[in-house]
Amino acid sequence: MKPKVYFKTFGCRTNLFDSQVMMGALNDYEVTEDESKADIVIVNSCTVTNGADVSVRGYINQMDKQGKKLFLTGCGAHTKGESLFSAGKIQGVFGPSEKMKINTLLSSDSRFYEIGDLNYIDDAIVDEFVGKSRAFIKIQEGCNFRCSYCIIPFVRGDARSMDESKILEQVSRLASNGFGEFVLTGTNVGSYGQGEGRNIAELMKKMSMIRGVRRIRVGSLEPIQINESFREILDEPWLERHLHIAIQHSSDEMLRIMNRRNRHVSDVELFGMLNAKGFALGTDFIVGHPGESDQLWREAMENINHLHLTHIHPFTYSKRDGTPSATMKPEVNGTLSAKRMTELNTLITNNNHTFREKMKSTFLEVLVESGDGKHYSGYDQFFNKVMIESNEDISGDWITLEEYEVHDEYNMAKF
């Protein structure tokens, strides 16, 4: 009987993709989705904040007490791998560049520390996504931005793109295996092809021509990456009607402090144009970064009202050792940050409800992701959650909903 391996994936969609790559490379092991049945646990770690490191360390301690054989990979391998390895709780540490060697690494009789390098380019092909109804396609790695709060360029390296033919081959294989929705992911997705005469919009056009591809979603873009070539595909039927554009803040002074490239006036123009085209709009937003005074917060909240946001991925600022922001003053009190976070979330929740009410006459194209035989859930083309009552087994199906009710946090329908 093959030893059972469980993958605990922290952090972003890039890590989700990397976990799937590793699952596909395990020839002598059996992947399990049941943590309790695992002989081996692979911890695919995130290190974006000090808090992320704490979460990873806490999980490792928990699994160690249960007697699991532990291996560490992901971004945290570069920042905390050596100390965790020295503590003796980890059998092996390997960087993301070494993930294709996982079958051999797990078979090693001795402990190992193989951190690899930050210049690798993935060439792995993923044929299946365990436990997923949509496929994540990694198209690039690394980032050339140097935002003051971010450690990721130092653990993922500079921006570099995957080979186009490999990406299209992967999409083709997954489409032939029944996947219809594809999410493009990477460290800084919109930088795909820069300096190489390629761009993400042209890649998406080629993907759309592959038989079986129904919807393409971009994980996250920078405002400056919605350029002329990308604007040319905004009316394409295969493009999800939701875009996640990372602005991080809506006060120009805070954007300068964060060493960001976007500014509010250009963000307003961009988001206004996309809103006019009927897109649902999401963003990342950091609350409580050092220097965020009451005055700047009030300015930010006033500005954000002009961005037509319907979705948000907010972060309470958490210090990341080794970044410029970690030494900045004045720091923002945690209680105040929590209050601001609540204010921000309330605003966007109300915006989302208003958006769904406004789009009430629009048919919803839903990919059903999960269900229990009567109640199902999935996401529509605007990346809004839809709850569905059905006596049929519709898990994994694409359905069109003409009639539905708008609830506080989701839409509700019978099928």
Side-chain angles (χ1 to χ4, degrees):
M1 185 181 296
K2 293 181 178 180
K4 290 183 170 61
V5 180
Y6 176 78
F7 284 80
K8 178 65 174 180
T9 306
F10 291 86
C12 64
R13 296 184 185 93
T14 299
N15 273 6
L16 284 173
F17 177 88
D18 287 350
S19 287
Q20 295 290 340
V21 169
M22 289 185 281
M23 290 178 196
L26 285 176
N27 300 319
D28 301 317
Y29 299 85
E30 178 185 340
V31 175
T32 178
E33 294 185 67
D34 188 342
E35 181 183 82
S36 65
K37 294 181 180 178
D39 305 297
I40 296 169
V41 175
I42 308 297
V43 182
N44 194 356
S45 60
C46 174
T47 192
V48 68
T49 65
N50 288 355
D53 283 340
V54 171
S55 297
V56 169
R57 189 180 298 110
Y59 180 78
I60 288 171
N61 288 336
Q62 177 189 343
M63 290 297 101
D64 182 56
K65 289 176 182 176
Q66 295 180 23
K68 305 292 187 185
K69 193 174 183 180
L70 292 160
F71 295 84
L72 177 71
T73 188
C75 293
H78 289 274
T79 57
K80 298 298 179 184
E82 192 170 0
S83 61
L84 287 167
F85 184 71
S86 299
K89 295 182 179 181
I90 299 291
Q91 176 68 16
V93 176
F94 58 103
S97 64
E98 310 303 296
K99 59 181 173 287
M100 287 303 294
K101 303 176 185 175
I102 186 171
N103 196 79
T104 301
L105 292 172
L106 297 195
S107 302
S108 174
D109 292 328
S110 56
R111 298 178 73 228
F112 63 85
Y113 182 84
E114 294 197 22
I115 201 62
D117 63 63
L118 297 178
N119 298 312
Y120 70 96
I121 296 177
D122 269 327
D123 60 2
I125 299 294
V126 176
D127 292 294
E128 191 61 64
F129 273 77
V130 179
K132 303 291 181 185
S133 56
R134 63 169 73 100
F136 297 90
I137 306 297
K138 184 176 174 182
I139 64 170
Q140 67 86 227
E141 182 70 88
C143 181
N144 292 341
F145 287 27
R146 292 297 183 266
C147 302
S148 60
Y149 49 81
C150 189
I151 195 71
I152 296 305
F154 304 101
V155 297
R156 285 283 185 179
D158 289 331
R160 57 226 186 257
S161 301
M162 309 309 167
D163 180 76
E164 182 185 89
S165 63
K166 292 284 187 181
I167 295 170
L168 296 177
E169 179 185 351
Q170 181 162 290
V171 172
S172 182
R173 287 196 193 183
L174 287 164
S176 67
N177 284 340
F179 287 89
E181 179 170 329
F182 296 85
V183 185
L184 302 187
T185 187
T187 315
N188 187 339
V189 185
S191 68
Y192 171 81
Q194 67 178 22
E196 303 173 7
R198 296 179 286 157
N199 63 67
I200 190 172
E202 291 298 325
L203 174 68
M204 293 166 72
K205 286 180 186 177
K206 292 178 182 179
M207 286 176 56
S208 73
M209 291 186 282
I210 295 173
R211 183 180 179 87
V213 174
R214 185 158 177 168
R215 191 153 75 197
I216 301 175
R217 179 155 66 91
V218 186
S220 180
L221 294 166
E222 293 288 328
I224 62 172
Q225 293 164 349
I226 311 290
N227 53 23
E228 197 57 42
S229 61
F230 197 93
R231 294 184 186 217
E232 290 175 2
I233 66 171
L234 291 176
D235 295 322
E236 294 288 353
W238 42 261
L239 178 64
E240 183 175 64
R241 307 310 292 170
H242 163 268
L243 288 171
H244 186 96
I245 305 169
I247 63 169
Q248 306 300 353
H249 215 278
S250 51
S251 158
D252 279 353
E253 179 60 24
M254 287 307 304
L255 291 170
R256 279 189 283 271
I257 290 171
M258 293 176 176
N259 199 31
R260 293 284 301 165
R261 302 187 184 188
N262 59 301
R263 291 296 181 265
H264 179 63
V265 65
S266 54
D267 291 344
V268 168
E269 183 277 327
L270 172 63
F271 281 60
M273 179 272 293
L274 295 170
N275 172 69
K277 285 184 169 289
F279 279 88
L281 297 168
T283 197
D284 295 328
F285 202 101
I286 299 174
V287 177
H289 187 281
E292 188 185 72
S293 65
D294 287 340
Q295 179 183 347
L296 292 181
W297 176 252
R298 287 194 299 271
E299 175 193 330
M301 289 302 292
E302 171 61 30
N303 287 347
I304 210 169
N305 281 308
H306 303 291
L307 295 174
H308 312 284
L309 290 169
T310 58
H311 298 68
I312 198 157
H313 191 186
F315 301 83
T316 299
Y317 173 75
S318 177
K319 186 181 295 186
R320 173 67 267 182
D321 294 338
T323 63
S325 294
T327 59
M328 289 183 182
K329 304 292 181 185
E331 296 181 3
V332 179
N333 177 275
T335 302
L336 182 57
S337 291
K339 182 180 177 182
R340 291 174 179 175
M341 177 70 81
T342 299
E343 182 183 358
L344 178 62
N345 277 324
T346 300
L347 173 65
I348 306 306
T349 297
N350 291 337
N351 285 358
N352 182 271
H353 189 272
T354 300
F355 177 87
R356 287 183 288 120
E357 285 281 8
K358 179 179 144 187
M359 304 301 288
K360 187 72 167 58
S361 60
T362 303
F363 291 1
L364 300 184
E365 299 292 333
V366 181
L367 172 57
V368 183
E369 298 188 15
S370 60
D372 59 10
K374 186 174 182 181
H375 299 94
Y376 296 84
S377 67
Y379 285 85
D380 62 23
Q381 67 269 38
F382 303 107
F383 198 55
N384 286 318
K385 189 172 185 178
V386 183
M387 302 298 295
I388 307 157
E389 289 184 11
S390 178
N391 292 322
E392 302 176 32
D393 183 2
I394 55 174
S395 293
D397 290 351
W398 289 86
I399 62 173
T400 300
L401 297 175
E402 299 180 18
E403 296 183 3
Y404 50 92
E405 297 174 354
V406 176
H407 289 215
D408 285 347
E409 297 181 357
Y410 52 83
N411 292 328
M412 183 77 196
K414 293 183 179 180
F415 183 82

